[in-house]
Amino acid sequence: MDENRVDSHGGGMQQIVEFILELDKLKGVTRKTRPLGLERYENSAEHSWQIALMATSLAHHAGTAVDINRVVGMLLVHDIGEIDTGDTLVYAEGGWEERKAAELAAVKRIFGMLPEQQGAPFLALWREFEQGETAEARFAHAVDRAMPVLLNLANEGQSWRENGVSHERVVRRIAPPIKAGCPALWNYLEVRLEEARQKGWFGA
Amino acid sequence: MDENRVDSHGGGMQQIVEFILELDKLKGVTRKTRPLGLERYENSAEHSWQIALMATSLAHHAGTAVDINRVVGMLLVHDIGEIDTGDTLVYAEGGWEERKAAELAAVKRIFGMLPEQQGAPFLALWREFEQGETAEARFAHAVDRAMPVLLNLANEGQSWRENGVSHERVVRRIAPPIKAGCPALWNYLEVRLEEARQKGWFGA
Ligand SMILES: [Ca+2]
C-alpha cells in the first residue's frame, strides 16, 4: 500500500476502500446449495445477507432475548474467512480444528486491512460467533445452520442428494445448535425434516 | 398459504419461512457491475451485504453522527423491491416516479408476507431510506451510490464503458448524495474519478 495515499486522504479512507474491495471475493466463494430457481450455486456473500434478515425476522423466537444488532453484525462477518479458506459443507466431518485456525488467520489478515478502530470490532464479532457462548452467538448459529435446511426443504433436498447426506446426519449436526439458539425453529424443522425423509429427499 | 399450518406452528413461523424463501429471489436480480475477477454480473443480494459492511467501516466518516444499526437495516432491505421490479442502472433517466411506486407495491407485498410485528419495521426502514431525510438515510444513500463507483474504479470502468456512461453523468448523479451523506468519501472519489477520466475509463 502507498503510505502517502493513506495519509493524504485521512481517516483511513484508502485502507477502508481496499477492505471493501477485498470483501468482493466472498461473492466468488460458492456453497453447496443453489438459490431457488437458479442453476448456479449460492455464494457466501448473498447467504450472509439472507441470514441477517432471517435473524431479524426471527428474533422474537430466540431462546434467550438477544441484541439483534450484534446478531446481524456477527452474521454479516461470520463467513469472511472463507475468502482465504473456501466453503466447507457444514456436514463434513474432521479437520475442524485446522479449518478454524486457517479461518482465524484469514480474518486477522482481512480485518487487519482496516484501521484498528474499524477492524477490531469486526474481529470481536467474528470471535463471538466462533466461540458461540453468548445468547446472540447461539441464536446466530441457529439461523446460520437452519438456512440451508430451509433451502433444501424448498428444493427437494438438492444439496443433500447431490452430496449423499442422510436425514440422520443432518439432524445430528443441526438439532443441537438450533435447539440451543432458537427452539421454536427446531420444533418447526423437526416436523419438516421428517416429511422430507418420507419423501426421499436425502442422500445416502 | 395453508392457514392450519400457520396456526399450528405459532409465532408466525410458517409465514417467516415463506418470507425468507421469497428473499431468495433477490439473488437472481442482476446489476450492471461485475464482481472483481468474475465474469458474471453482481446480484442485489450480495451487493446489499457488501454495502452493509461498507457502511459499518465508514460510519466515523458520516456527515452527521448516525445510528449505524439503522443504516445497516436500511441497506439490507433497500433493494428488496427489485424482486418484483428488477434492477435499473442508477444513471438511467426518467420513469423515476413510476419505478418508485412499483417498488413500494413490491415491498408492501413482500414485507406483508410476515406477521405485522416483523413486517412493519422492515417497511419503516425501507421508507426511511426512500425518503432520504434522516442522517442515517443520507449516509446509507451515500454508501449505496459509492459502491458501484468503487467497483468501476477497480475494474477500469467496466459498467461505465459497457453502458456508455460519461464522467460528467456519474458526477452529476452521485456527487450530491455522497457529499450530503459522507463528505470525506466524496473528497476521495472526486480525485479517483478524475484519474479514471484521464485513463479513458468512461463511455460516451
Ligand atoms: Ca454460514
Side-chain angles (χ1 to χ4, degrees):
Chain A
M1 182 180 313
D2 178 339
E3 279 297 325
N4 288 326
R5 192 156 210 178
V6 173
D7 293 339
S8 71
H9 291 294
M13 188 63 80
Q14 181 63 29
Q15 286 162 281
I16 294 166
V17 167
E18 288 172 17
F19 168 75
I20 298 302
L21 294 174
E22 181 71 15
L23 293 183
D24 230 45
K25 294 179 183 167
L26 201 63
K27 300 173 185 170
V29 174
T30 50
R31 296 163 49 85
K32 302 296 183 288
T33 36
R34 300 178 201 268
L36 300 179
L38 299 179
E39 282 305 302
R40 66 173 178 83
Y41 287 108
E42 180 184 37
N43 70 64
S44 293
E46 62 197 356
H47 159 71
S48 299
W49 166 78
Q50 189 172 31
I51 58 178
L53 291 176
M54 178 173 168
T56 306
S57 312
L58 274 176
H60 59 300
H61 282 299
T64 311
V66 291
D67 173 350
I68 188 62
N69 298 316
R70 228 163 69 240
V71 175
V72 167
M74 276 188 256
L75 291 172
L76 292 177
V77 303
H78 82 292
D79 272 343
I80 287 178
E82 294 178 0
I83 286 175
D84 289 349
T85 66
D87 177 58
T88 300
L89 188 64
V90 69
Y91 309 111
E93 318 276 353
W96 198 252
E97 295 287 320
E98 295 80 351
R99 179 176 167 77
K100 286 297 150 196
E103 285 193 4
L104 176 60
V107 293
K108 283 184 172 172
R109 178 186 75 73
I110 296 163
F111 297 137
M113 295 176 72
L114 286 168
E116 171 73 12
Q117 258 194 303
Q118 282 69 53
F122 282 139
L123 187 60
L125 285 168
W126 187 90
R127 282 189 196 274
E128 181 178 352
F129 181 85
E130 283 303 312
Q131 289 165 357
E133 288 166 5
T134 62
E136 284 77 11
R138 285 195 302 271
F139 181 60
H141 274 277
V143 169
D144 185 42
R145 289 302 177 86
M147 187 66 244
V149 176
L150 293 179
L151 287 176
N152 270 310
L153 289 170
N155 238 343
E156 308 198 341
Q158 165 261 319
S159 86
W160 297 326
R161 287 182 291 102
E162 288 180 10
N163 295 283
V165 176
S166 67
H167 176 270
E168 186 255 328
R169 194 165 162 200
V170 170
V171 171
R172 178 159 38 92
R173 286 305 292 263
I174 72 166
I178 299 179
K179 272 185 205 171
C182 192
L185 183 57
W186 175 250
N187 293 342
Y188 172 85
L189 289 176
E190 189 171 28
V191 176
R192 301 286 316 273
L193 286 166
E194 177 56 25
E195 289 167 7
R197 193 186 62 74
Q198 289 172 19
K199 287 176 180 158
W201 289 356
F202 289 91
Chain B
M1 183 183 311
D2 178 341
E3 280 298 325
N4 288 328
R5 193 157 209 178
V6 173
D7 293 340
S8 71
H9 291 295
M13 188 63 79
Q14 182 64 28
Q15 287 161 281
I16 294 167
V17 167
E18 287 172 18
F19 168 76
I20 297 303
L21 294 174
E22 181 71 16
L23 293 184
D24 229 46
K25 294 178 182 166
L26 201 63
K27 300 174 185 171
V29 175
T30 50
R31 296 164 49 84
K32 302 297 183 287
T33 35
R34 298 177 201 268
L36 300 178
L38 299 179
E39 282 305 301
R40 66 173 177 83
Y41 288 108
E42 180 184 38
N43 70 64
S44 292
E46 62 197 354
H47 160 71
S48 298
W49 167 78
Q50 189 171 31
I51 59 178
L53 291 177
M54 179 173 168
T56 307
S57 311
L58 273 175
H60 60 300
H61 283 299
T64 311
V66 291
D67 173 350
I68 189 62
N69 297 317
R70 227 162 70 240
V71 175
V72 167
M74 279 187 253
L75 291 172
L76 293 177
V77 303
H78 81 293
D79 272 342
I80 286 177
E82 296 178 358
I83 285 174
D84 289 350
T85 65
D87 176 59
T88 301
L89 188 64
V90 68
Y91 309 111
E93 317 276 352
W96 198 252
E97 295 288 318
E98 294 81 351
R99 179 178 167 75
K100 287 296 148 195
E103 285 193 5
L104 176 60
V107 293
K108 283 183 172 172
R109 178 187 74 74
I110 297 163
F111 296 137
M113 296 175 72
L114 286 169
E116 171 72 13
Q117 257 194 304
Q118 283 69 54
F122 282 139
L123 187 60
L125 285 169
W126 186 90
R127 281 189 197 274
E128 181 178 351
F129 181 85
E130 283 304 310
Q131 289 165 358
E133 288 165 5
T134 62
E136 283 77 10
R138 286 196 301 273
F139 180 59
H141 274 277
V143 168
D144 185 41
R145 289 301 177 86
M147 188 66 244
V149 176
L150 292 179
L151 287 177
N152 270 309
L153 289 170
N155 238 343
E156 308 198 341
Q158 166 260 320
S159 86
W160 297 327
R161 288 182 289 103
E162 288 179 10
N163 296 284
V165 176
S166 67
H167 175 269
E168 186 255 327
R169 194 167 162 200
V170 170
V171 170
R172 176 158 41 89
R173 287 305 292 263
I174 72 166
I178 299 179
K179 272 184 204 170
C182 193
L185 182 57
W186 176 250
N187 294 342
Y188 172 84
L189 289 176
E190 189 171 28
V191 176
R192 300 285 316 272
L193 287 165
E194 176 56 25
E195 290 167 6
R197 195 186 61 73
Q198 289 172 20
K199 287 176 180 158
W201 289 356
F202 289 92

